[in-house]
Amino acid sequence: MPTATLDGTDLHWRDAGRGTHAVLLLHAFPLHSGMWSRQIEALAHTHRVIAPDYRGLGGSAGSHEASTMALLAGDVRGLLAHLRIERAAVVGLSMGGYLALELWRQVPGLFTGLALCDTKAGADTAEGAAGRETFAKAALAQGLHWVADQMAPKLLKPSPDAAALAEVRTLIGACTPVGVAAAQRGMALRPDSTPTLGTITCPTLVVVGAEDGLTPPAEAEKLAAGIRGARLARIAGAGHLSNLEQPAAFNKVLTGFVAGLAE
Ligand code: MLT
């Protein structure tokens, strides 16, 4: 799996498939690009698929600087420039959706299409942001096992499959406490993207797990209602990580969406 030093930071990404049509997969918190393994496999038959790890998560180097969406968008743009990719379908799940909306603000010309999965547009409340700071400090003090105890059950449907739970814990275990804290602090600083929704002009798909407790279907409905022409797909039998819990249903919706996009 490739790594490059871009703007002074060692970034790691997954790179699969080939061709002129690219798909950019932006992962959730506190995970890394490995959460997309089944989507990478499905999409790579027809597309070049790029899935970066954010700073301090997965194989990318971390620092104590807050991983704001603006900072991470700069990393992604640097990576795409390094790979000479000028256009892509951008797919973001949860934190990846926050990042996709920041990318839209910065570089709308990149987008052949946008898929917002299990995510929302709003900023944190003051209470939510304070909770992230408490979480960041605890992650630094207590480590990834604690992070997995806190997060893994929330990322999955109630009474999740044991294999899915184990997979999510393994994904979390490949991050770093510094990266987890930086991501929490960065998400706390993210702006309200609600005004951005009305500016989106590319084909857009909104996906939500029917049992998503973190960004419930009502959030997905708000997203879809705010974006002109957006299509909403519900994935039955899935919680927040709808791509991981129901990969066949998720892949059907996603591959159908990207197949219909112009270059
Ligand atoms: C995620 O899955 O990326 C997180 O739940 C996002 C968040 O903490 O807001």
Side-chain angles (χ1 to χ4, degrees), residues 39 207 233-236 242-243 245-255:
Q39 286 69 48
V207 182
R234 284 168 199 266
I235 307 290
S242 55
N243 71 312
E245 289 194 288
Q246 295 296 341
F250 186 97
N251 288 356
K252 191 169 173 212
V253 169
L254 184 61
T255 56

Side-chain angles (χ1 to χ4, degrees), residues 27-31 35 54 93-98 117-120 122 124 132 151 154-155 183-184 187-188 190 212 214-215 240-241:
H27 65 78
F29 167 87
L31 308 176
M35 70 165 254
Y54 314 148
L93 195 145
S94 199
M95 180 182 178
Y98 309 158
C117 314
D118 300 283
T119 192
K120 61 187 175 201
D124 283 354
R132 290 193 193 274
M151 287 302 298
K154 293 185 188 152
L155 294 171
Q184 281 287 37
M187 285 192 286
R190 76 187 190 284
D212 184 343
L214 284 179
T215 47
H240 190 58
L241 295 179

Side-chain angles (χ1 to χ4, degrees), residues 208 215-223 234:
V208 67
T215 47
E219 289 289 352
E221 283 161 20
K222 273 199 267 174
L223 275 178
R234 284 168 199 266

Side-chain angles (χ1 to χ4, degrees), residues 132-182:
R132 290 193 193 274
E133 182 56 30
T134 304
F135 190 107
K137 288 193 175 115
L140 291 169
Q142 305 201 47
L144 295 173
H145 195 85
W146 178 88
V147 172
D149 287 346
Q150 298 299 308
M151 287 302 298
K154 293 185 188 152
L155 294 171
L156 299 168
K157 65 184 172 190
S159 308
D161 297 344
L165 195 55
E167 183 174 345
V168 170
R169 291 192 70 98
T170 301
L171 289 166
I172 293 172
C175 297
T176 64
V178 166
V180 167

Side-chain angles (χ1 to χ4, degrees), residues 23-29 31-33 35-36 39 43 49-52 54 69 76 88-104 110-111 113-121 200 202-209 212 215 220 223 227 233 240-243 250 254 257-258:
V23 181
L24 174 67
L25 299 174
L26 302 173
H27 65 78
F29 167 87
L31 308 176
H32 59 80
S33 59
M35 70 165 254
W36 294 116
Q39 286 69 48
L43 290 162
V49 189
I50 305 297
Y54 314 148
M69 297 311 108
V76 170
V90 180
V91 182
L93 195 145
S94 199
M95 180 182 178
Y98 309 158
L99 178 52
L101 290 167
E102 175 63 31
L103 273 170
W104 174 266
L110 166 67
F111 289 66
L114 167 65
L116 293 169
C117 314
D118 300 283
T119 192
K120 61 187 175 201
I200 295 172
C202 67
T204 301
L205 170 70
V206 178
V207 182
V208 67
D212 184 343
T215 47
L223 275 178
I227 303 171
H240 190 58
L241 295 179
S242 55
N243 71 312
F250 186 97
L254 184 61
F257 175 67
V258 298

